[in-house]
Amino acid sequence: LFWKKSGPLDLAFGGRRGRRGRFAAAACAPILTAADPALSAMVDPAPGDGGAKATGEPPAKRARTGDDGPSPTPGAGPNPGLGPKPDPDPEAGAGTSATPPPAPDTSPSPAPTSTVNPSPAPSSRGVSPQPGASAAPEPGAAAPAEEKLWSKIVTNDGLDENLITLVHLKGIFSKQLPKMPRRYIVRLVFDRKHYSIALFKGNRVVGGICYRPVFEQGIAEIAFCAITATEQVKGLGTRMMNELKNHVKTEGIRYFLTYADNYAIGYFKKQGFSKTVSMPRERWYGYIKDYDGGTLMECYIHPTIDYMAVVSMVEAQKAFILERIQERSLAHIEYQGLAKKPEDGDEKAAGAGAPLPASERVENPLDIPGVREAGWTLETIGGGVDVAARRRDSERDRSGLQSTLKDLLQRVKSHDTVDIFAEPVDVVSYPDYLEVNPDPVDLRTIGERLVEKPPYYRSREMLLADLMRMVENCKRFNPEGHDFHMAAIKMGDHILNVFNR
């Protein structure tokens, strides 16, 4: 009777009708049956096996964990709920992780029977859908008032209210993480070692993060993280993570760990996670499961930071810096510009057709209003020398330098060991050469750089550096006593003699 009357119960416990399933049904059927109207809006009742075949599409952001690790039952007592807080509306986040050990149920799932506000299907990439707006209301329905966001920490403590919330979270994780087997999600969400933060909008659960704390190690592993499809791209993922950080730091948790797939790495980086695990290995190894196909990421939780105030804190720091820059900068001061020289046919210009009087002409650039006040000097702007003349002198200097460098290279090539360095090393014949010398160079390459426009070499020192690197590469790849190693020593001495001559 229970199995026929309470579809959500069948879904929540994976459709197992064995001894464990009957025990769970007897324990929770009154709770879930009473809450059936509310559950139908969040969970697709799927009688039978309760599992949907994995779509084969990669999920956007999902994390997985095990429930049989060495973590003891936490003794921190019940976790208080987090009260409502203003939404800073940071960037959005979604679900997380690597492929879990249990294989997904391949039996087809029957069509959902829920008709009240069904959850949207995942996108074609397997990523949690991120529509720009909520689903259109039914005809004649009044526009809903803006609902307050709030959150609380829940676990499987036997309370009716928390069990119903966990079932809602299970439905969101199943929808937004389609590649994650439903039975695996149920096992972790309802495991007593796991806790979840549930984000509410009004009286609706719109997202959550499931995690497993290891209190004696001061770490916690994130299992699942997801926001319902109609509430994404609104900053709720970041808000939810920040509220969780504020909560766990009061319980002595200093690090988050999670295995993230390629679609989740970007989200976790925005939340402060890094691919570099800075903790000593003995602090976390053995307390979380190691899975293939995921990237282990870590986030340090600073005990003195209010993560819900990060946005306002950064804005205050930015305003402070801009204020200090304004005190030192003169960029906001405007000066009167030079008189405009009239153009032919410009009737609007004062005195059109007449040249500027000698008294208004500027010979010294420092006499232009604002130039001297900005800190310019004759040395920095060219010493008053004609700009075209300076450009011609610069081009003449560059041309002379390139001729000098070409002459130096020709003298270097006059050595009897030149054939060894004339062409690039054949990396097909010597595949390990680039591992030993990641920056190869040879005489032909140097000659090509000498004729590049604009010039590659700006000084004698740059050319000497390339030639000596060519010699060092040869000595590094060939052991001492080898003919090429000895030839490189001779070539190096020859190059120094040419440049010191």
Side-chain angles (χ1 to χ4, degrees):
L1 179 62
F2 283 147
W3 289 106
K4 292 183 179 180
K5 293 291 185 181
S6 56
L9 181 65
D10 184 43
L11 176 64
F13 291 94
R16 289 289 186 182
R17 303 195 185 188
R19 182 173 56 186
R20 183 184 303 176
R22 289 196 299 271
F23 177 79
C28 298
I31 300 170
L32 299 180
T33 304
D36 187 69
L39 294 180
S40 63
M42 300 298 298
V43 183
D44 289 335
D49 64 353
K53 181 178 180 181
T55 62
E57 308 291 342
K61 303 179 176 73
R62 51 192 176 82
R64 40 119 318 278
T65 182
D67 61 350
D68 54 351
S71 171
T73 302
N79 291 286
L82 299 178
K85 297 185 179 181
D87 185 8
D89 196 22
E91 297 187 24
T96 96
S97 147
T99 304
D105 188 358
T106 57
S107 57
S109 175
T113 58
S114 172
T115 58
V116 181
N117 190 21
S119 302
S123 67
S124 61
R125 295 175 57 198
V127 181
S128 303
Q130 301 184 359
S134 302
E138 295 184 6
E146 187 172 351
E147 299 170 297
K148 182 180 294 186
L149 289 168
W150 59 282
S151 60
K152 70 174 183 177
I153 301 294
V154 294
T155 187
N156 186 5
D157 54 6
L159 297 179
D160 296 2
E161 178 184 0
N162 289 343
L163 286 173
I164 292 173
T165 300
L166 290 177
V167 173
H168 287 177
L169 288 176
K170 182 264 172 190
I172 292 175
F173 294 149
S174 298
K175 281 289 185 182
Q176 304 307 319
L177 312 175
K179 220 178 173 185
M180 197 67 64
R182 293 190 178 187
R183 295 173 185 172
Y184 183 70
I185 294 176
V186 170
R187 181 154 61 92
L188 267 60
V189 171
F190 287 91
D191 175 36
R192 294 182 184 272
K193 295 179 183 178
H194 284 72
Y195 294 80
S196 298
I197 179 172
L199 184 64
F200 290 79
K201 191 170 185 181
N203 60 355
R204 298 182 297 112
V205 180
V206 296
I209 299 175
C210 179
Y211 67 99
R212 179 168 65 94
V214 186
F215 292 103
E216 73 276 13
Q217 297 299 113
I219 64 175
E221 182 183 13
I222 293 180
F224 309 115
C225 174
I227 295 289
T228 188
T230 57
E231 299 295 337
Q232 292 185 12
V233 200
K234 298 180 181 179
L236 300 188
T238 298
R239 175 197 172 100
M240 191 168 57
M241 183 66 73
N242 288 339
E243 291 203 12
L244 181 58
K245 289 177 181 177
N246 273 355
H247 172 73
V248 298
K249 72 181 183 182
T250 64
E251 298 182 332
I253 300 298
R254 291 294 173 263
Y255 290 93
F256 273 148
L257 290 170
T258 189
Y259 273 93
D261 64 16
N262 292 334
Y263 295 95
I265 290 176
Y267 165 77
F268 280 112
K269 281 185 176 180
K270 292 179 182 178
Q271 310 310 317
F273 284 74
S274 170
K275 295 181 182 180
T276 302
V277 179
S278 60
M279 282 188 293
R281 183 178 175 85
E282 59 271 11
R283 182 169 181 177
W284 61 270
Y285 186 74
Y287 292 91
I288 66 173
K289 289 187 177 180
D290 189 14
Y291 288 86
D292 295 333
T295 301
L296 181 62
M297 302 187 74
E298 172 197 275
C299 177
Y300 175 68
I301 303 170
H302 201 284
T304 63
I305 292 180
D306 180 4
Y307 287 94
M308 290 300 293
V310 168
V311 174
S312 58
M313 180 173 60
V314 171
E315 290 177 351
Q317 292 174 344
K318 180 180 177 181
F320 176 82
I321 293 174
L322 292 177
E323 182 180 348
R324 293 297 176 269
I325 292 175
Q326 190 76 3
E327 293 176 358
R328 295 171 177 259
S329 173
L330 301 176
H332 60 285
I333 302 177
E334 296 183 1
Y335 294 90
Q336 180 65 36
L338 296 175
K340 178 183 178 183
K341 182 178 179 180
E343 301 289 344
D344 294 339
D346 188 359
E347 300 296 336
K348 296 182 179 180
L356 287 174
S359 59
E360 296 183 14
R361 297 174 186 172
V362 177
E363 301 295 340
N364 189 344
L366 294 180
D367 293 337
I368 299 175
V371 173
R372 195 185 305 273
E373 291 80 359
W376 291 91
T377 64
L378 287 176
E379 289 75 18
T380 56
I381 62 178
V385 180
D386 180 64
V387 176
R390 288 178 57 85
R391 185 180 297 112
R392 288 193 298 271
D393 293 343
S394 176
E395 292 176 354
R396 189 180 301 113
D397 293 342
R398 284 199 298 267
S399 177
L401 174 64
Q402 297 306 308
S403 298
T404 302
L405 297 181
K406 291 177 182 179
D407 180 64
L408 289 172
L409 182 60
Q410 286 302 118
R411 283 189 275 169
V412 168
K413 290 182 177 180
S414 65
H415 197 261
D416 54 3
T417 62
V418 65
D419 292 341
I420 299 176
F421 308 96
E423 299 292 332
V425 175
D426 184 3
V427 295
V428 176
S429 303
Y430 302 96
D432 57 339
Y433 183 81
L434 293 179
E435 297 178 5
V436 179
N437 298 313
D439 190 12
V441 67
D442 56 272
L443 292 176
R444 190 182 80 179
T445 301
I446 293 174
E448 293 172 352
R449 290 175 176 177
L450 274 174
V451 297
E452 286 184 4
K453 297 293 183 182
Y456 180 86
Y457 297 107
R458 302 299 182 90
S459 65
R460 289 164 50 99
E461 289 73 18
M462 289 182 66
L463 176 61
L464 177 61
D466 264 4
L467 290 169
M468 294 309 296
R469 184 170 73 254
M470 174 187 72
V471 170
E472 292 301 322
N473 287 349
C474 182
K475 292 165 62 177
R476 189 182 303 112
F477 187 75
N478 299 285
E480 293 186 12
H482 193 279
D483 292 343
F484 284 5
H485 188 97
M486 298 173 63
I489 295 176
K490 294 179 181 179
M491 175 60 84
D493 294 339
H494 173 64
I495 292 172
L496 294 178
N497 289 333
V498 168
F499 275 77
N500 292 332
R501 192 175 299 172

